[in-house]
Amino acid sequence: MLDAALSALSQLSQVSLLISLVSGVLVGLVVGILPGLGGTAGLALLLPFVFGMETSSALAMMIGMAAVTTTSDTFPAVLMGIPGTSGSQATVMDGFPMAKAGQGTRALSAAFVSSLFGGLFGAVVLSFAVVAARPIILSIGFGEQFMLVVLALSMVGILTGLSVWRGLASCALGLALGALGAAPMSGVERASFGTDYLLDPLPLTIIGLAMFATPEIVDLLRRSERISDKATLGPGWMAGVKDWMANWWLSLRCAVIGCLVGALPGLGGSVVDWIAYGHAIQTTKNRESYGTGDVRGVIAPESANNAKEGGALIPTLLLGIPGSGTMAILLGGLIIVGIDPGVTMVTRHLDQVYVIIWSLALANVVGALICFGLAPQIARLTTIRYVLLAPFMLGIIAFAAFQATRNWGDLIALFVLSVLGVYMKRFGWSRPALLIGFVLSSRVETSVYQTVALYGASFLQRPIVLILLALTVGSVTAAIFLKAPPSGEVGEESPYSSSRTLPQWGMLAVVAAFALYVMWDVIGYNQLTALYPLVAGTTILLCLAPLAFSMATARQAGTMFYDEERVPDGTDKPTRSAEFWLGVILGHLALCALLGFVLGTAFFIAGFLIGFGRAKPWQALAGAAGFVLILGLLSDQLTLRYPEGLLQTRAGIELPWPLQ
């Protein structure tokens, strides 16, 4: 164990690995600063670039990116009042009032120190967990592994959805999406919708971007979020450090909470900051000062949301079960670079486990130092209107999606799944549950056949399997009867209103139709091909049935209905609908089909900046030209050729670099 740790440390001291780590940290800091991305979408953007990299370098880059998004997301949370990621929602409560009171520097300083401490604490916990859990993992068989995955999926569905049945249906929908393409056991085509593109499984990169990047960008655009006009921070760096030292015990407790919550599948970044914030209120004096600019309200969530990464890596690395959307993408990245998490990782690749641990610790240090050093400059970036950033972010997302298979189908799949992601967000369906279900789909399918082939009916006689089965059934049952109703204002204009529910019924019908198609398509195939799609489709329908019954019999707001389009009176209502912005994105796709990806994206960016951002023509053209130049440089480095448009192919025009 010590030899593996020292070997990993010596690897990380190599210049190439340090460059990869710092590159990942820089990407993660940018992703955290830009509202609408977050760690899940950021890792999805990074996956095309780690393909083909040396294993340790790829690990360092991915961990470097994932570790620091919850450090830099403090900038928009404190200075703009807009969470950079879901992990900084609670930081807004006291950080933004501090910034408005002229204490933005003090809030940022306390947050960075807390994030650094939480990240290092998470790395220490992960290192001890590897030692403690290794003998347990080595004793787990196929049956136990399968039931662990089932338990994890049920927990994800229960804990991440606004209702139990929505969450479980989202998880099953992810499993069904994993059934598209050739069956791994027989190679037979199934549920391909008649397209050659779906002869292979859907790329993970596209699922991640469609679920987490596009919906957040659309939401920010439709709400027309205003960005702070203040670009100065003022003094107070040492005051924030002293604040943390005076509240180190609170920071430690919240770091422990972060590790524990991070290790539980289905919780993670969406709630850990609120749990830590609630703990701070319940266990400290002068509770009435929270929400008005109390620095303890910054220290508590920032300590927890960085520590959670260490906790979330425990089930991801040791069991191959991701606890969050970010960890699901990381799990896919590990497989891409040739590492199989679980028993294989702790036996044959223990040095790589410690590369991850050292990278996690070092990334937090580097990220905090960069945030301290570049804070004044980053503060100026937050004054840019979001509508000026959106077209570039949409262009980057389209570029990353195209890298999945370098096929036109990548861009079409991105748009179709983005529409699904937008409506899942609107109606309270769990996007993390879908992503985790999709990532684990191949493992679930393989585990089903391995378990049945190896154990047969005796599978259900194994003691640990029975315990895990009881926990699964018990947790689902308890959630059905004991899960608290959603909090928030209830009324006709509330998101929880039971009026005007036709769109929600439409969403349910679409999901049910997809499940029926997946099941119908495999009728007549042998068991190796048909069993998994039938199980996934049936699970969706079994979850939708009680949801539909509850919606049909609901007589009271706040029970089974949710529509984010409804905004309570007195708040800023969206200026344009989500459908409008989806139409704009579809226009980008049409331009690419007509003119080619590079020219189409250039025209899209220029038109977007002029039409929606009210930029001057020369500014819009300069922005579009700069993006085209970046695409040209990337095409050289990655040896790729972008999709050609209809006009190019018909006219036989060969465009010069960088328009190719």
Side-chain angles (χ1 to χ4, degrees):
M1 199 76 69
L2 181 60
D3 291 341
L6 293 176
S7 173
L9 184 59
S10 66
Q11 289 183 55
L12 203 58
S13 64
Q14 298 174 12
V15 176
S16 59
L17 261 69
L18 289 175
I19 292 175
S20 297
L21 178 70
V22 174
S23 299
V25 168
L26 292 174
V27 173
L29 293 176
V30 173
V31 165
I33 291 169
L34 297 175
L37 288 181
T40 305
L43 266 180
L45 287 170
L46 206 61
L47 283 187
F49 298 96
V50 302
F51 185 78
M53 288 180 64
E54 193 272 327
T55 302
S56 296
S57 297
L59 291 177
M61 181 175 287
M62 289 190 292
I63 294 297
M65 200 240 82
V68 299
T69 54
T70 49
T71 300
S72 61
D73 65 356
T74 307
F75 282 109
V78 170
L79 301 178
M80 301 155 52
I82 302 172
T85 69
S86 61
S88 63
Q89 293 173 355
T91 305
V92 174
M93 299 297 293
D94 285 282
F96 192 45
M98 289 180 71
K100 290 192 290 185
Q103 297 183 336
T105 299
R106 179 187 174 196
L108 289 175
S109 176
F112 295 153
V113 176
S114 301
S115 296
L116 173 60
F117 173 76
L120 293 175
F121 183 83
V124 171
V125 169
L126 177 60
S127 64
F128 280 105
V130 171
V131 178
R134 190 166 183 258
I136 300 174
I137 293 170
L138 294 177
S139 65
I140 294 177
F142 289 126
E144 289 77 8
Q145 290 182 43
F146 172 64
M147 282 310 303
L148 272 173
V149 172
V150 173
L151 175 61
L153 289 172
S154 66
M155 289 182 65
V156 168
I158 290 167
L159 296 172
T160 59
L162 282 177
S163 72
V164 173
W165 298 118
R166 273 194 187 90
L168 292 175
S170 300
C171 212
L173 181 57
L175 292 173
L177 286 173
L180 303 183
M185 295 296 174
S186 64
V188 176
E189 173 189 347
R190 61 190 185 190
S192 65
F193 290 89
T195 65
D196 292 339
Y197 178 74
L198 288 177
L199 292 178
D200 294 319
L202 284 168
L204 176 61
T205 300
I206 291 175
I207 296 286
L209 293 173
M211 288 297 111
F212 290 92
T214 310
E216 298 302 330
I217 292 173
V218 168
D219 188 58
L220 286 169
L221 284 172
R222 61 179 283 270
R223 293 180 184 277
S224 300
E225 296 284 2
R226 299 295 300 175
I227 296 182
S228 176
D229 294 328
K230 299 179 180 179
T232 57
L233 293 174
W237 289 114
M238 285 308 300
V241 176
K242 292 177 180 178
D243 286 330
W244 180 85
M245 294 176 67
N247 294 281
W248 69 270
W249 177 232
L250 172 65
S251 182
L252 176 60
R253 297 199 310 271
C254 291
V256 172
I257 291 172
C259 286
L260 292 175
V261 173
L264 294 175
L267 288 180
S270 59
V271 297
V272 65
D273 56 328
W274 289 113
I275 294 175
Y277 189 76
H279 170 76
I281 293 175
Q282 294 169 356
T283 59
T284 55
K285 299 178 181 179
N286 303 321
R287 302 179 185 178
E288 64 280 356
S289 64
Y290 284 94
T292 62
D294 192 321
V295 73
R296 295 174 298 177
V298 174
I299 291 172
E302 289 299 317
S303 299
N305 63 27
N306 272 54
K308 85 168 189 308
E309 300 301 335
L313 281 166
I314 295 173
T316 303
L317 298 181
L318 305 185
L319 299 174
I321 298 174
S324 66
T326 303
M327 291 299 112
I329 298 292
L330 178 64
L331 183 62
L334 293 176
I335 295 172
I336 285 175
V337 298
I339 295 179
D340 185 18
V343 176
T344 303
M345 192 162 192
V346 297
T347 53
R348 302 179 186 175
H349 302 290
L350 191 58
D351 59 327
Q352 302 295 353
V353 175
Y354 279 98
V355 166
I356 291 174
I357 294 172
W358 287 115
S359 297
L360 181 64
L362 188 56
N364 277 281
V365 175
V366 173
L369 291 176
I370 291 175
C371 284
F372 271 116
L374 298 181
Q377 290 72 28
I378 294 175
R380 293 188 180 93
L381 291 177
T382 62
T383 62
I384 299 175
R385 290 184 295 135
Y386 191 79
V387 72
L388 298 178
L389 297 174
F392 298 99
M393 295 170 68
L394 290 171
I396 292 171
I397 289 168
F399 167 80
F402 176 67
Q403 297 312 300
T405 65
R406 301 187 178 183
N407 187 300
W408 259 110
D410 292 329
L411 299 179
I412 297 172
L414 174 67
F415 177 76
V416 173
L417 291 169
S418 291
V419 173
L420 174 64
V422 166
Y423 284 107
M424 288 185 72
K425 175 177 170 60
R426 173 179 170 179
F427 298 132
W429 293 62
S430 174
R431 291 170 294 151
L434 182 145
L435 179 62
I436 293 173
F438 176 79
V439 168
L440 292 178
S441 59
S442 59
R443 182 171 177 182
V444 170
E445 182 166 8
T446 304
S447 296
V448 167
Y449 294 119
Q450 288 176 334
T451 301
V452 172
L454 190 60
Y455 302 113
S458 64
F459 155 67
L460 294 175
Q461 298 175 3
R462 298 170 68 84
I464 297 179
V465 169
L466 291 174
I467 293 172
L468 293 173
L469 179 62
L471 287 173
T472 303
V473 174
S475 60
V476 172
T477 304
I480 293 171
F481 293 103
L482 301 178
K483 188 169 184 176
S487 59
E489 183 181 346
V490 175
E492 285 302 307
E493 295 302 320
S494 163
Y496 303 103
S497 172
S498 57
S499 65
R500 301 188 301 276
T501 58
L502 186 59
Q504 299 182 57
W505 283 107
M507 176 73 180
L508 188 147
V510 169
V511 175
F514 174 74
L516 290 172
Y517 170 76
V518 169
M519 298 169 66
W520 170 82
D521 187 75
V522 296
I523 293 176
Y525 288 133
N526 61 32
Q527 184 181 21
L528 289 176
T529 303
L531 179 60
Y532 177 74
L534 290 173
V535 171
T538 302
T539 305
I540 293 177
L541 297 177
L542 289 176
C543 293
L544 292 182
L547 175 60
F549 177 79
S550 300
M551 291 170 65
T553 57
R555 295 290 183 269
Q556 179 181 345
T559 52
M560 274 296 163
F561 294 106
Y562 181 84
D563 188 345
E564 203 175 55
E565 285 278 302
R566 301 197 190 97
V567 184
D569 291 334
T571 62
D572 295 330
K573 296 194 176 185
T575 56
R576 292 187 174 96
S577 67
E579 289 77 15
F580 173 85
W581 293 112
L582 286 172
V584 171
I585 296 172
L586 182 60
H588 176 215
L589 190 61
L591 282 173
C592 291
L594 185 65
L595 304 175
F597 180 76
V598 179
L599 270 180
T601 301
F603 274 95
F604 171 75
I605 290 175
F608 194 105
L609 292 176
I610 294 173
F612 302 120
R614 297 192 179 96
K616 296 178 181 179
W618 71 267
Q619 294 173 326
L621 292 174
F627 194 82
V628 167
L629 181 61
I630 292 173
L631 289 179
L633 294 172
L634 289 173
S635 70
D636 280 352
Q637 295 297 317
L638 300 175
T639 62
L640 63 90
R641 188 178 181 87
Y642 296 112
E644 294 183 347
L646 184 63
L647 295 181
Q648 289 175 254
T649 54
R650 288 286 177 87
I653 299 173
E654 185 73 20
L655 294 175
W657 185 93
L659 299 177
Q660 294 179 343

